[in-house]
Amino acid sequence: MDANFFLISEIVKITKGQLVSTREDDVQIRELLIDSRQQKESENCLFIALKTAKNNGHKYIEYLYQLGFRHFLVEEIPSTMQQAKDTDFIIVPNTLKALQTIAMRHREEFNIPVLAITGSNGKTIVKEWIAMLLETEQNIVKSPKSYNSQIGVPLSVWQMNGLHTLAIFEAGISQPEEMENLEKIIHPTMGIFTNIGSAHDEYFLNETQKIAEKLKLFTEVDLLIYCADHYEIRDKILHIDTLKQTPSFTWSMESNVEADIKVLDIVRNSNSTRVNIEVRGAERMEMEIPFTDKASIENVMQCITFLIANKYSLAWIAKRLSVLHAIEMRMEMKEGLNHCYIINDFYNSDYNSLEIALDFLAHQHQNAKRRLILSDMLQSGRSEDELYMDIANLLEKKKIDSLIGIGQAMIRQADKFKIEASFYSSTEDFLSQIDCDAFQRETILLKGARIFEFEKISVFLQKRTHDTVMEINMNALSHNLNFFKSQIKPDTRIMVMGKAFSYGSGSYEIANFLQFNQCDYITVAYTDEGILLRKNGITIPIMVMNPDEQGLEKMLHYNLEPEIYSFTLLNYLRKSIVAKKSADDVTYIHLKIDTGMHRLGFMEDEIDLLIDEIRKSPFCKIRSIFTHLATADEPSMDTYTLAQLALFDKISRKIQDAISYPILRHALNTAGILRFPQYQFDMVRLGIGLYGVGVTAEMQPHLENVSTLKTIISQVRYLPTGEAIGYGRSYICKSPMKIGVIPIGYADGLSRALSNGVGEVMVNGKRVPIIGNICMDMCMIDLSTVNANEKDEVILFGKEMPITEMAQKLHTIPYEILTGISPRVKRIYFQE
């Protein structure tokens, strides 16, 4: 058995599965796939159809088969695939356990040091920093990003191959009895316990139980590292039978705590911290840590302790600390010059993170052309020729159109790349020679080692706007979408409201996310919105809620599906079909039924005539029938809502019975999805809930904040008693004040009604009031009680400043605030 692949027959034995095959050959499996949206080489890839609370991978097998995938690990063969040719199906009782078993067996092939890291915070940082410190000494395999879950850990371990000399994997749990699985998969030889905090407290009886569960990761390690100042962790380690005899190596900042490494002194400077450490009462060394915050100092000390425990000299460690830098935990996308999009992922550069970033790039359809700007990949532990040949093959596989390579190694390996490419010796060389007009309507991924300072390229390419931005958290968006998917039946479709610039969050950026996540429909308000989505690569069905007579022909041209709510509009559509001379093409329409909202739609007494008119229109085919609920979020009016739903059921059934083909039905909005699950019909319509705003008190705890409106302090001023602030002298200083001017005003969507203490913002973790009247482009805030300086960040709404609070102060709803944020406020999309 080769450590770099398993044969299908071997996987059958490992998983104790049943093989149902229509193939003659025994294929090598080199890649594992759990997400149908990722791009993998299909020939030697095994798709594992995972069942989770929020999704079911078996739904995507037929889609993957059409893409060329032929090897599947399943719990059952889908009915549509029973007769599929040239396939391998391995049937197991539980595909997640099978994935873990495969990774466990793969791990057995290697006899190298394996470090496992767990704790409440700092796992990813400590992992990345240890890898940075040892990149010149070891060929390291590590968890990509923060792959530390029941699914992420086996995928991380699967990366191990015969070239690696050290493995570093992080492990996280959210509830009891999960860590035993991860221990068996990782089977670590060394461990680091970072700390304990409040994350996932709701799933554990108490902190003691949570510590005990996490410590199950280290039951067979040869060395355990932790901070002895965390007395709860120390006490549990000393009293668990399986850990009592485990060799440990500890560190402490407390004078009265025994530890192998003592931090004798800490001196913080403006950009760094000097620590004086002593090892086992003997050797001492002063080291400079390139951070000043408490969390970073603690994480660096975990790294230092690990290195000392593994016999690296204090002098070598002190020298290596200078290579540490902050880890950017997110991939960021923003609008660039000349209709480009820029994806920033340039704080680390290794092959695995490059593949993840390229997957993200591949699913951006705003522009047809995809370009990669890539620096030399430093200290990979592999031969240069082999590494860059693999990178070149990866770029071809991911269908990258163009490459800009920066660095001497990229220049030396230029002949490996068969795509359009140009090369520069340094970032400065690139910036001095390139013309920004060379980049037009493309999506550009920046991926480089920190030493190449790709942030300069990002600044060069990004669209110039002011310092006020709205950040859109794509992870939170995904969480919210999956939450609502978990609330509907597996066969219920989902339509997402993308109107009004997707509630202020962005147009094709959000639509692209919805397409990537295989939503069934997007709804926009007007034809122009739909056309914009089509021009930016959105191919999934789009319903237009307010089609106009003049735009119907364009709608047909761009394959948009109109909502039909009146006979007048139906007649206009018929004329447009004739004018377009597309009678051979079917035009799909969506019938709006008025059951009590009394805004748009056909009334009950119009249904017989509507059926007759539809029968006279063979080229108009009904895709769906729907209604709009007026009071789904108000429990006191449930009788009215139920009456609406009953009437809709009656009317829609009548139409369905009169038409010979299947028609979708949908009535539930965001509130209705949770409150009236028995009326899901064939599809539901998700709106504001996707963007993290719960329309009921019960819903909000399940959602994550998506949008954060932030700016910076432009100027700090000091005013004496009696001075007036802003237009109209509406605010007078009652005492000497420190004020800040921030570049956001009512032209950006900040309501003037928040003036003079009504509204608040957050500066450095503290709420402060808006003072004076809000101006068109700026406003003033009271900084008298907070330590703040120019360029400090200011949050107007976000996770710690809920938009619902702002809405209450304005006597409005979050919809109005989100949709009122001006397009001149730059949207930045990021993914953790």
Side-chain angles (χ1 to χ4, degrees):
M1 182 181 294
D2 192 308
N4 294 319
F5 69 83
F6 288 146
L7 295 168
I8 283 286
S9 59
E10 291 170 332
I11 293 177
V12 172
K13 292 178 183 178
I14 291 167
T15 61
K16 298 180 180 178
Q18 175 191 353
L19 178 62
V20 177
S21 178
T22 55
R23 300 175 62 94
E24 298 292 333
D25 52 343
D26 196 1
V27 175
Q28 297 177 356
I29 295 299
R30 296 182 177 275
E31 292 192 276
L32 303 179
L33 177 67
I34 63 165
D35 189 336
S36 63
R37 300 163 301 186
Q38 293 179 338
Q39 293 187 340
K40 296 282 187 180
E41 189 66 50
S42 60
E43 183 178 354
N44 299 106
C45 183
L46 177 68
F47 176 69
I48 302 173
L50 297 176
K51 287 184 177 180
T52 69
K54 298 175 180 177
N55 212 339
N56 184 347
H58 294 75
K59 295 190 300 184
Y60 308 107
I61 290 175
E62 186 173 4
Y63 165 73
L64 286 167
Y65 181 81
Q66 293 170 356
L67 294 180
F69 289 83
R70 295 293 182 265
H71 318 294
F72 305 96
L73 183 67
V74 301
E75 294 179 17
E76 66 266 341
I77 302 175
S79 59
T80 57
M81 297 293 295
Q82 295 286 344
Q83 305 301 319
K85 297 179 180 179
D86 196 33
T87 56
D88 289 318
F89 283 102
I90 304 173
I91 305 172
V92 296
N94 185 304
T95 48
L96 175 57
K97 289 187 181 301
L99 166 63
Q100 294 173 341
T101 303
I102 292 168
M104 204 181 308
R105 180 65 185 84
H106 184 67
R107 165 69 181 89
E108 292 173 2
E109 295 293 310
F110 305 97
N111 184 28
I112 62 172
V114 176
L115 171 63
I117 305 172
T118 194
S120 295
N121 300 295
K123 298 184 292 293
T124 303
I125 298 295
V126 172
K127 175 200 70 187
E128 294 293 338
W129 282 350
I130 289 176
M132 282 182 203
L133 292 166
L134 290 177
E135 64 186 3
T136 59
E137 310 298 309
Q138 304 280 354
N139 186 6
I140 299 170
V141 58
K142 56 187 174 69
S143 308
K145 303 291 184 178
S146 55
Y147 278 34
N148 58 36
S149 67
Q150 298 291 309
I151 298 172
V153 166
L155 293 177
S156 299
V157 169
W158 178 255
Q159 299 176 111
M160 295 178 74
N161 66 48
L163 298 175
H164 296 128
T165 59
L166 173 66
I168 311 175
F169 302 124
E170 54 180 292
I173 60 172
S174 58
Q175 52 191 315
E177 300 181 7
E178 289 186 332
M179 193 60 89
E180 291 97 329
N181 288 337
L182 303 188
E183 191 282 330
K184 292 175 183 175
I185 298 166
I186 299 173
H187 194 58
T189 61
M190 300 175 286
I192 295 178
F193 199 135
T194 59
N195 52 40
I196 199 70
S198 60
H200 307 298
D201 273 355
E202 65 271 28
Y203 299 108
F204 297 92
L205 296 175
N206 50 45
E207 193 169 84
T208 300
Q209 185 200 21
K210 184 162 67 171
I211 293 171
E213 290 293 328
K214 288 179 180 287
L215 283 170
K216 290 178 180 178
L217 182 61
F218 306 126
T219 53
E220 295 189 25
V221 297
D222 301 321
L223 179 67
L224 177 55
I225 292 164
Y226 63 96
C227 176
D229 298 340
H230 296 301
Y231 70 90
E232 308 96 331
I233 297 173
R234 181 186 67 208
D235 183 67
K236 201 66 184 172
I237 290 171
L238 296 176
H239 289 88
I240 292 179
D241 290 339
T242 55
L243 294 177
K244 282 181 180 178
Q245 305 304 317
T246 299
S248 64
F249 204 81
T250 60
W251 65 277
S252 171
M253 293 185 180
E254 303 291 336
S255 59
N256 60 340
V257 175
E258 291 187 9
D260 295 285
I261 297 175
K262 299 287 290 185
V263 179
L264 304 177
D265 191 33
I266 295 178
V267 179
R268 286 182 173 84
N269 302 312
S270 57
N271 297 311
S272 64
T273 302
R274 298 193 72 82
V275 295
N276 189 9
I277 68 170
E278 181 182 78
V279 181
R280 292 180 171 170
E283 193 175 5
R284 291 189 179 187
M285 174 70 74
E286 187 175 72
M287 299 185 180
E288 186 170 9
I289 295 173
F291 307 99
T292 59
D293 62 289
K294 181 180 177 181
S296 293
I297 293 170
E298 182 171 325
N299 289 332
V300 173
M301 282 306 305
Q302 300 281 13
C303 301
I304 291 172
T305 305
F306 172 78
L307 294 175
I308 293 173
N310 281 275
K311 312 303 182 186
Y312 289 91
S313 73
L314 297 185
W316 183 87
I317 296 169
K319 184 177 180 180
R320 286 296 295 169
L321 289 179
S322 63
V323 307
L324 295 182
H325 57 75
I327 301 296
E328 185 62 50
M329 301 299 293
R330 66 190 204 180
M331 204 170 341
E332 192 176 80
M333 184 172 72
K334 59 184 69 174
E335 194 173 354
L337 292 169
N338 308 325
H339 305 285
C340 292
Y341 271 84
I342 313 302
I343 301 172
N344 292 333
D345 190 29
F346 47 69
Y347 288 96
N348 62 74
S349 181
D350 59 72
Y351 185 86
N352 290 324
S353 68
L354 172 63
E355 186 168 17
I356 292 171
L358 288 173
D359 277 333
F360 183 78
L361 172 62
H363 288 93
Q364 305 308 313
H365 298 285
Q366 297 93 324
N367 294 309
K369 185 174 182 179
R370 298 168 184 151
R371 188 192 297 263
L372 170 66
I373 302 181
L374 179 69
S375 79
D376 288 352
M377 203 167 280
L378 306 176
Q379 278 87 40
S380 70
R382 303 170 61 185
S383 74
E384 187 176 289
D385 283 349
E386 179 188 4
L387 173 64
Y388 287 92
M389 178 58 74
D390 284 351
I391 292 173
N393 291 336
L394 181 65
L395 300 193
E396 288 192 54
K397 183 170 72 174
K398 301 294 185 181
K399 295 181 172 57
I400 303 305
D401 299 295
S402 176
L403 168 70
I404 293 176
I406 296 180
Q408 296 300 322
M410 293 293 295
I411 292 174
R412 287 194 297 271
Q413 299 294 328
D415 63 324
K416 300 281 195 307
F417 299 94
K418 306 307 179 186
I419 61 176
E420 175 190 321
S422 56
F423 300 89
Y424 301 86
S425 61
S426 66
T427 299
E428 290 71 22
D429 184 30
F430 165 75
L431 291 173
S432 67
Q433 295 185 46
I434 201 70
D435 182 351
C436 63
D437 288 338
F439 303 93
Q440 298 282 342
R441 295 188 180 277
E442 52 190 278
T443 304
I444 306 166
L445 169 63
L446 305 184
K447 187 70 176 167
R450 188 177 180 86
I451 193 173
F452 286 89
E453 298 180 309
F454 270 23
E455 56 267 31
K456 294 179 180 178
I457 301 176
S458 179
V459 170
F460 172 77
L461 291 175
Q462 74 182 38
K463 188 176 182 180
R464 274 55 167 175
T465 55
H466 64 64
D467 293 310
T468 298
V469 301
M470 189 151 81
E471 291 187 342
I472 311 299
N473 185 337
M474 305 303 281
N475 295 84
L477 205 66
S478 181
H479 167 89
N480 296 340
L481 177 62
N482 286 331
F483 167 71
F484 285 103
K485 282 184 175 181
S486 73
Q487 301 301 303
I488 61 177
K489 294 175 291 187
D491 56 346
T492 300
R493 303 188 189 193
I494 190 163
M495 172 184 280
V496 179
M497 312 307 287
K499 60 181 180 176
F501 201 52
S502 293
Y503 295 80
S505 298
S507 179
Y508 33 86
E509 302 90 350
I510 300 299
N512 189 72
F513 162 84
L514 298 173
Q515 179 166 281
F516 177 78
N517 282 276
Q518 299 176 344
C519 291
D520 299 286
Y521 261 93
I522 296 175
T523 297
V524 297
Y526 298 104
T527 304
D528 287 348
E529 292 178 304
I531 292 173
L532 182 63
L533 296 185
R534 287 286 186 248
K535 287 182 175 179
N536 283 276
I538 303 304
T539 58
I540 63 176
I542 298 173
M543 182 177 85
V544 180
M545 298 180 68
N546 295 292
D548 59 281
E549 178 187 357
Q550 292 74 24
L552 284 172
E553 288 189 31
K554 281 188 176 181
M555 184 180 299
L556 299 176
H557 177 73
Y558 285 98
N559 194 28
L560 304 174
E561 301 176 8
E563 169 188 318
I564 301 298
Y565 51 80
S566 70
F567 292 109
T568 302
L569 189 57
L570 181 59
N571 288 329
Y572 282 144
L573 180 63
R574 288 169 172 162
K575 293 177 183 177
S576 296
I577 292 173
V578 172
K580 189 172 179 284
K581 297 180 181 179
S582 58
D584 292 335
D585 298 326
V586 172
T587 298
Y588 289 105
I589 62 174
H590 301 260
L591 297 181
K592 178 72 170 288
I593 308 300
D594 185 355
T595 60
M597 180 78 171
H598 299 321
R599 189 172 60 183
L600 294 173
F602 293 97
M603 301 293 287
E604 184 177 14
D605 60 4
E606 297 177 301
I607 299 305
D608 288 335
L609 177 58
L610 176 61
I611 291 171
D612 288 340
E613 292 299 315
I614 293 295
R615 285 171 170 167
K616 295 175 185 176
S617 309
F619 308 118
C620 289
K621 195 168 186 177
I622 305 171
R623 177 73 85 185
S624 80
I625 313 166
F626 71 103
T627 194
H628 198 99
L629 302 179
T631 58
D633 58 340
E634 300 182 40
S636 63
M637 298 187 184
D638 280 358
T639 300
Y640 190 81
T641 301
L642 290 169
Q644 275 195 269
L645 289 164
L647 179 58
F648 173 70
D649 190 26
K650 174 185 173 183
I651 293 173
S652 58
R653 283 181 184 277
K654 184 175 184 178
I655 298 173
Q656 281 185 321
D657 290 343
I659 302 298
S660 59
Y661 51 82
I663 301 172
L664 300 173
R665 297 190 296 165
H666 49 108
L668 298 185
N669 54 13
T670 295
I673 292 171
L674 264 65
R675 300 199 64 246
F676 302 97
Q678 69 274 34
Y679 288 99
Q680 290 178 15
F681 297 111
D682 305 298
M683 187 156 62
V684 296
R685 298 192 305 276
L686 177 58
I688 193 73
L690 175 66
Y691 306 99
V693 179
V695 292
T696 64
E698 296 78 16
M699 185 185 301
Q700 191 61 56
H702 298 285
L703 306 180
E704 292 184 0
N705 179 73
V706 170
S707 301
T708 300
L709 182 63
K710 59 171 58 176
T711 188
I712 63 167
I713 299 173
S714 297
Q715 187 177 29
V716 174
R717 312 286 300 277
Y718 294 88
L719 300 178
T721 303
E723 286 296 308
I725 296 174
Y727 284 119
R729 303 185 74 246
S730 60
Y731 189 92
I732 306 296
C733 299
K734 296 180 177 63
S735 60
M737 292 185 70
K738 176 184 177 182
I739 71 167
V741 181
I742 59 177
I744 182 171
Y746 56 78
D748 300 296
L750 185 65
S751 173
R752 203 164 180 269
L754 294 169
S755 302
N756 289 308
V758 176
E760 291 181 313
V761 300
M762 183 170 284
V763 179
N764 295 332
K766 188 167 184 178
R767 292 174 179 244
V768 301
I770 296 172
I771 52 177
N773 283 318
I774 293 173
C775 310
M776 181 182 290
D777 306 303
M778 62 192 75
C779 64
M780 286 66 74
I781 56 177
D782 182 2
L783 298 176
S784 301
T785 60
V786 63
N787 181 19
N789 301 295
E790 292 178 4
K791 303 300 181 183
D792 281 358
E793 187 177 83
V794 179
I795 306 294
L796 290 103
F797 61 72
K799 184 177 181 180
E800 306 301 329
M801 293 283 289
I803 193 172
T804 50
E805 291 185 12
M806 183 182 285
Q808 288 169 359
K809 291 177 179 180
L810 291 170
H811 306 290
T812 186
I813 55 177
Y815 299 71
E816 182 178 354
I817 297 172
L818 285 172
T819 57
I821 302 302
S822 169
R824 81 176 187 177
V825 173
K826 179 169 59 179
R827 272 65 171 177
I828 295 177
Y829 304 86
F830 69 90
Q831 177 173 302
E832 300 289 352

